[in-house]
């Protein structure tokens, strides 16, 4: 590892107000990747080394590395270690739907249980997904989706907290009505008519981890499907969501159509 990267990663981290410590560790490593201190394909330090350098526990480091892998910034090679991804995640184009519709049963949407709504600084992963610089204020809506009385998914949604322009209208702060019973994307669609898009949904596999396992009544090592959604507004990144879907959700359908 390059000396500049070693010095950057060896500085102690501290949690920001309203954000867990794993987010600070995540942001430190993600910043090193985005700034080129950790180059594509390079090996990153071990959990023990990172924990010692940043003055945090291995559990915190492990959760941060899990999030980095979910978000496509690093890749694990069994028995070898973790490496920076050869290519960083991109933001693409496809139409998407609110997750209560995606994960609902036929004729019925999934129930949304809000766990928190907080205004916080955008992380290195969130910032490009919503079209702002890291550290810019954004909104985080966190929810658990319930179907037939069982928690089937954990959802985190982000949009900028700064003024936004839709169509030809002047930029204005988003005033989102939260009744606690819908996702952020559904609330935005209701107020704005429907986000114009386009958007993309990326799919990967991970483990749920300790903190989210409690919300979904799972074991930390249980596998989950990770659905990462992006939506653009006026050809700019605007909305980002990450949804962890448990196996009890059953089969998921992917809609397809022919191009004319």
């Amino acid at each position: 590892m390059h000396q500049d990267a070693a010095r950057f990663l060896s500085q102690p981290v501290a949690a920001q107000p309203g954000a867990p410590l794993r987010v600070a560790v995540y942001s430190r490593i993600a910043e090193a990747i985005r700034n080129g201190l950790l180059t594509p394909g390079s090996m990153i330090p071990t959990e023990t080394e990172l924990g010692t350098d940043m003055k945090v526990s291995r559990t915190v480091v492990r959760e941060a590395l899990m999030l980095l892998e979910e978000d496509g910034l690093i890749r694990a090679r069994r028995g070898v270690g973790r490496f920076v991804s050869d290519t960083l995640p991109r933001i693409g184009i496809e139409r998407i739907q609110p997750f209560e519709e995606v994960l609902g049963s036929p004729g019925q949407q999934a129930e949304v249980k809000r766990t928190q709504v907080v205004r916080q600084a955008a992380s290195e992963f969130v910032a490009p997904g919503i079209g702002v610089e890291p550290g810019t204020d954004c909104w985080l809506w966190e929810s658990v989706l319930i179907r037939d009385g069982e928690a089937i998914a954990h959802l985190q949604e982000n949009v900028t907290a700064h003024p936004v322009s839709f169509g030809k209208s002047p930029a204005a702060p988003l005033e989102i009505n939260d009744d606690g019973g819908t996702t952020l994307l559904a609330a935005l669609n209701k107020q704005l008519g429907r986000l114009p898009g386009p958007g993309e949904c990326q799919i990967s596999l991970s483990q749920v981890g300790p903190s989210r396992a409690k919300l979904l009544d799972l074991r930390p090592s249980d596998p989950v499907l990770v659905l990462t959604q992006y939506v653009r507004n006026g050809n700019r990144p605007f909305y980002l969501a990450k949804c962890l879907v448990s196996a009890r959700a059953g089969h998921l359908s992917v809609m397809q159509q022919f191009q004319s």
Side-chain angles (χ1 to χ4, degrees):
M1 185 172 60
H2 195 277
Q3 288 185 350
D4 289 343
R7 283 195 294 267
F8 183 79
L9 292 174
S10 65
Q11 303 170 37
V13 298
Q16 299 298 314
L21 189 55
R22 64 178 179 274
V23 173
V25 174
Y26 171 107
S27 297
R28 175 68 59 78
I29 300 172
E31 186 177 352
I33 294 172
R34 294 288 186 187
N35 290 344
L37 295 175
L38 290 173
T39 56
S42 64
M43 188 174 186
I44 66 174
T46 66
E47 293 176 4
T48 300
E49 291 170 338
L50 288 170
T52 300
D53 288 342
M54 297 185 186
K55 304 297 188 292
V56 296
S57 69
R58 282 189 63 186
T59 300
V60 169
V61 172
R62 188 176 301 117
E63 286 206 290
L65 294 174
M66 186 185 303
L67 295 174
L68 287 161
E69 189 171 352
E70 286 177 10
D71 296 341
L73 295 174
I74 67 174
R75 292 287 182 266
R77 298 179 189 171
R78 187 178 297 275
V80 180
R82 294 181 175 92
F83 297 80
V84 178
S85 296
D86 292 330
T87 57
L88 297 184
R90 64 181 179 84
I91 297 173
I93 49 171
E94 283 176 341
R95 184 180 177 184
I96 59 175
Q97 293 178 298
F99 275 111
E100 61 261 58
E101 298 177 19
V102 175
L103 299 178
S105 54
Q108 185 174 2
Q109 296 185 356
E111 177 188 348
V112 178
K113 179 183 178 182
R114 185 85 66 247
T115 54
Q116 71 167 333
V117 173
V118 62
R119 181 168 174 158
Q120 63 182 25
S123 71
E124 293 287 334
F125 168 66
V126 169
I130 62 174
V132 300
E133 293 295 323
T136 304
D137 277 1
C138 72
W139 287 107
L140 164 66
W141 284 30
E142 186 179 64
S143 311
V144 172
L145 301 183
I146 300 170
R147 191 177 67 200
D148 299 327
E150 287 189 315
I152 59 170
H154 174 261
L155 175 63
Q156 290 183 318
E157 303 173 277
N158 297 94
V159 293
T160 179
H162 285 208
V164 180
S165 176
F166 293 95
K168 297 181 180 180
S169 62
L174 284 173
E175 296 184 5
I176 311 168
N177 297 322
D178 178 21
D179 61 6
T182 65
T183 59
L184 173 57
L185 184 58
L188 288 168
N189 284 341
K190 183 177 180 180
Q191 289 183 226
L192 303 172
R194 183 169 283 274
L195 291 178
E200 177 185 12
C201 184
Q202 299 176 349
I203 304 172
S204 60
L205 190 67
S206 183
Q207 295 179 338
V208 66
S211 58
R212 297 172 299 191
K214 296 176 182 177
L215 294 171
L216 295 177
D217 192 25
L218 298 174
R219 295 170 300 182
S221 60
D222 282 346
V224 286
L225 197 65
V226 183
L227 306 179
T228 306
Q229 284 187 343
Y230 303 89
V231 177
R232 300 172 74 87
N233 168 49
N235 206 33
R236 286 179 53 84
F238 170 69
Y239 164 94
L240 169 65
K242 184 163 67 175
C243 186
L244 274 63
V245 185
S246 74
R248 68 170 67 102
H251 290 89
L252 298 179
S253 297
V254 178
M255 300 300 294
Q256 298 179 326
Q257 64 182 26
F258 289 106
Q259 298 296 322
S260 57

